[in-house]
Amino acid sequence: MDVEQSAGTLASPDIADKDKKPIDPSLDEERSIEHGENDLLGGENVDAVLAAKMGLVNDAIDEIGFTPHHWKLFCLNGFGYAVDSLILLIQSIISTQARKEFRPSYATGLTIAVYVGMLIGAIFWGFSADVIGRRFAFNVSLFVSAVFTVVAGAAPSWITLGLFVCLSAFGAGGNLVLDTTVFLEYLPSQNQWLLTLMAAWWGLGQLIAGLFAWAFLPNFSCDDAATCTRANNQGWRYVWYASGAFVFVLSILRITIIRLQETPKFLIAEGKDADAVRVLQSIASRYNRPCSLTLERLETCGPSRTHKTDAAGLTQRLISPKEVGFHLKGLYATRKMGLSTSLVWFSWLLIGLAYPLYNVFLPTYLESRGAKVGESSQYITWRDYAINNTCSIFGPILAGLMCRSRWFWGRRGTMIIGALVTMVFFFCYTQVRTASQNLGFTAAISFCLNIYYGTLYAYTPEVFPSSHRGTGNGVAIGLNRIMGIISAVVADAANTNTPVPIYICAALYIVMAVVSAVLPFEPYGRRSS
């Protein structure tokens, strides 16, 4: 029997072997009552057997409830958020001083390098999450990033610095894909709002980058490019060394605090029902929680069909064009899912242009605005930078609370509010004339922008089916990185000292609000697949 199945093909009883028990229609009816209305994608009849098994897994996760295991995952996956933002911002922080030392011909080379690394990392780790599994990237990616972050501090030239920045970003770039996926696939449905709250780690990574800059750049940097040498310009290298050490510590904590097992939903999608039961029973036993899920209950749903088993019964675990095509097709299995996937990816394109134009080049904005109001000290510049990033931590916290409440219309309403309020502050920012106004408005923008951004990070994995979640996430983050590369080219060609980029960003946030309003799925009160 051909075990390869299109993502759009409905499972039916006649696919079972004669010696296997067919799906009981009464059980289907019972499952549709229990899971159909509550599961977010329950109405998208793609694979009845897989949907039924995912419903049972969701029941088991809800039955176990929230445990200390989930708090560990919240922190350990949050490390990936922090590292992604840390690596993304370091290159913009140190770029000015590194250019004085190396005198490159292309000023935004580091920005392009970091986004290329992030792009390749998102695609690689994203596809591998659906093919190889979530565990490998969780254990390895931060270590890869840590090694090259340290090495970047010793770069002898602008080109080698760009290479190591790119490699460091490759390791960090998969974390936004995997962190949300791993955490979500262990979360009880009533706690899915924590996925939005986890984006606070992103702001923490920005804060740490700002604190390293505040500590080293004012005291260990040259002023004049004509006399700038490695000996009198060690500050930017110290920033890389400190950041690399920090990421290395986080990578060690990931593999020592918890020994991550593959998520139950990934195992179910792979046809490994027994392993999924074992993982859930293990968590329940460790924390003395009930778990009524058994292998027999899963087998009652019928045989799982997987596209990865060849004629000899061997599992194929390679990233091939056929494998990639299968997962991409699965994201468009129904018209509603296809519309959702397209709009989510379009949202990432928009934020991918708006966010770097404002945030990656924020040091330029701060420096130019500071000069106009009489603030030319590096100490003041990086102090304000740290304050702004502190404010960004609290945006996702508020977003998480808003996502919990029906008063804000769930995830979509939270994104609409976040985008529109950010747009207002962008327009107001063009009227800044004093140092205090500059600090106040940039802090407000950092706070409000992360309401939208943090919610989008959480919404994206929630609306993708588990079997293709890594691919959907990877493409979304990859599109975001492509726009980051484009924004670097635009910023190099345009005058970033004018308010024009701010007007562009404000207009993009209006479009984001409109897209959020027409998204077809609302995860509030529903369970992810």
Side-chain angles (χ1 to χ4, degrees):
M1 182 178 66
D2 185 6
V3 296
E4 187 169 330
Q5 178 190 16
S6 169
T9 304
L10 295 177
S12 57
D14 61 358
I15 67 172
D17 293 334
K18 293 180 180 180
D19 59 338
K20 293 187 178 180
K21 187 181 297 184
I23 302 173
D24 187 341
S26 63
L27 290 173
D28 272 343
E29 181 179 357
E30 179 183 349
R31 280 193 296 270
S32 67
I33 294 174
E34 289 183 5
H35 312 303
E37 294 183 358
N38 193 34
D39 289 354
L40 185 63
L41 302 180
E44 308 302 305
N45 295 316
V46 177
D47 186 332
V49 172
L50 183 60
K53 290 185 176 183
M54 286 295 180
L56 291 175
V57 169
N58 274 333
D59 286 345
I61 292 174
D62 286 345
E63 184 182 16
I64 294 171
F66 198 82
T67 69
H69 180 77
H70 295 92
W71 280 122
K72 292 178 183 178
L73 287 176
F74 177 81
C75 295
L76 296 176
N77 284 291
F79 291 168
Y81 265 75
V83 170
D84 185 282
S85 63
L86 179 77
I87 300 302
L88 191 62
L89 289 183
I90 285 179
Q91 58 81 24
S92 66
I93 288 174
I94 63 91
S95 180
T96 299
Q97 289 304 130
R99 289 202 309 267
K100 289 181 180 179
E101 182 177 332
F102 295 130
R103 303 193 236 331
S105 58
Y106 200 71
T108 57
L110 293 187
T111 301
I112 294 175
V114 77
Y115 273 106
V116 168
M118 291 282 183
L119 168 62
I120 298 173
I123 298 299
F124 174 80
W125 299 113
F127 285 140
S128 70
D130 286 337
V131 180
I132 301 173
R134 283 66 158 135
R135 183 184 180 190
F136 176 75
F138 181 87
N139 290 334
V140 172
S141 58
L142 285 190
F143 179 77
V144 172
S145 182
V147 170
F148 289 108
T149 300
V150 172
V151 173
S157 68
W158 184 252
I159 294 177
T160 54
L161 175 59
L163 173 62
F164 294 137
V165 168
C166 183
L167 293 172
S168 175
F170 167 77
N175 282 279
L176 293 185
V177 179
L178 270 298
D179 295 334
T180 51
T181 297
V182 170
F183 191 46
L184 175 63
E185 294 189 355
Y186 276 104
L187 267 180
S189 58
Q190 65 269 25
N191 300 109
Q192 282 183 198
W193 66 275
L194 287 172
L195 204 61
T196 302
L197 181 62
M198 196 169 73
W201 287 93
W202 172 272
L204 182 62
Q206 292 178 320
L207 173 60
I208 292 172
L211 291 176
F212 284 155
W214 191 10
F216 296 118
L217 292 182
N219 301 315
F220 303 97
S221 299
C222 59
D223 296 322
D224 187 1
T227 59
C228 193
T229 64
R230 179 166 182 165
N232 64 6
N233 194 38
Q234 288 286 317
W236 69 268
R237 297 180 185 274
Y238 293 156
V239 172
W240 279 113
Y241 294 147
S243 299
F246 173 70
V247 177
F248 179 74
V249 170
L250 297 185
S251 69
I252 296 301
L253 292 177
R254 269 198 171 183
I255 60 176
T256 55
I257 291 181
I258 190 172
R259 292 189 176 183
L260 184 74
Q261 303 183 73
E262 289 294 355
T263 67
K265 293 183 178 180
F266 173 79
L267 294 171
I268 289 293
E270 293 288 292
K272 299 178 180 180
D273 296 354
D275 290 337
V277 173
R278 175 183 54 79
V279 170
L280 290 172
Q281 290 285 3
S282 174
I283 296 174
S285 175
R286 188 182 315 142
Y287 298 104
N288 196 26
R289 300 293 180 87
C291 180
S292 58
L293 182 67
T294 63
L295 179 60
E296 290 72 21
R297 291 186 66 191
L298 290 174
E299 290 178 340
T300 301
C301 299
S304 298
R305 302 203 301 186
T306 172
H307 67 292
K308 291 186 180 179
T309 307
D310 59 20
L314 300 175
T315 301
Q316 302 170 9
R317 301 178 67 85
L318 298 176
I319 302 178
S320 63
K322 184 177 180 180
E323 184 77 19
V324 171
F326 170 81
H327 289 294
L328 290 175
K329 186 177 180 181
L331 297 170
Y332 287 84
T334 68
R335 180 175 299 179
K336 190 174 181 180
M337 289 173 62
L339 175 62
S340 174
T341 297
S342 298
L343 290 176
V344 168
W345 286 351
F346 183 54
S347 297
W348 281 99
L349 277 173
L350 293 172
I351 194 69
L353 180 60
Y355 187 75
L357 279 178
Y358 173 75
N359 204 47
V360 171
F361 299 99
L362 183 56
T364 304
Y365 292 141
L366 289 174
E367 183 178 350
S368 63
R369 291 289 175 175
K372 291 181 180 179
V373 295
E375 298 288 0
S376 58
S377 167
Q378 278 204 51
Y379 178 88
I380 298 298
T381 296
W382 298 114
R383 182 207 64 182
D384 291 353
Y385 192 68
I387 292 173
N388 284 317
N389 290 325
T390 300
C391 294
S392 69
I393 297 175
F394 297 98
I397 295 176
L398 177 60
L401 297 176
M402 292 170 67
C403 288
R404 291 189 67 187
S405 173
R406 64 177 69 249
W407 294 101
F408 298 100
W409 312 296
R411 274 60 155 177
R412 290 180 297 187
T414 302
M415 285 192 285
I416 293 171
I417 294 171
L420 291 179
V421 174
T422 303
M423 177 268 297
V424 171
F425 278 109
F426 268 127
F427 280 126
C428 293
Y429 186 70
T430 62
Q431 304 304 312
V432 165
R433 295 295 180 268
T434 67
S436 58
Q437 289 175 349
N438 177 61
L439 179 58
F441 275 103
T442 52
I445 290 172
S446 294
F447 176 83
C448 297
L449 183 149
N450 279 280
I451 293 176
Y452 173 87
Y453 217 163
T455 308
L456 180 63
Y457 271 122
Y459 180 89
T460 300
E462 284 186 296
V463 297
F464 287 142
S466 179
S467 302
H468 317 294
R469 184 168 285 135
T471 299
N473 257 2
V475 172
I477 304 298
L479 293 172
N480 178 274
R481 305 315 189 191
I482 290 174
M483 295 308 293
I485 296 172
I486 294 175
S487 71
V489 177
V490 171
D492 186 68
N495 183 5
T496 57
N497 295 326
T498 72
V500 173
I502 302 174
Y503 283 122
I504 294 174
C505 291
L508 290 174
Y509 275 94
I510 297 175
V511 180
M512 291 178 216
V514 173
V515 173
S516 299
V518 299
L519 288 167
F521 292 113
E522 173 49 59
Y524 177 80
R526 311 289 291 279
R527 306 191 301 190
S528 65
S529 71

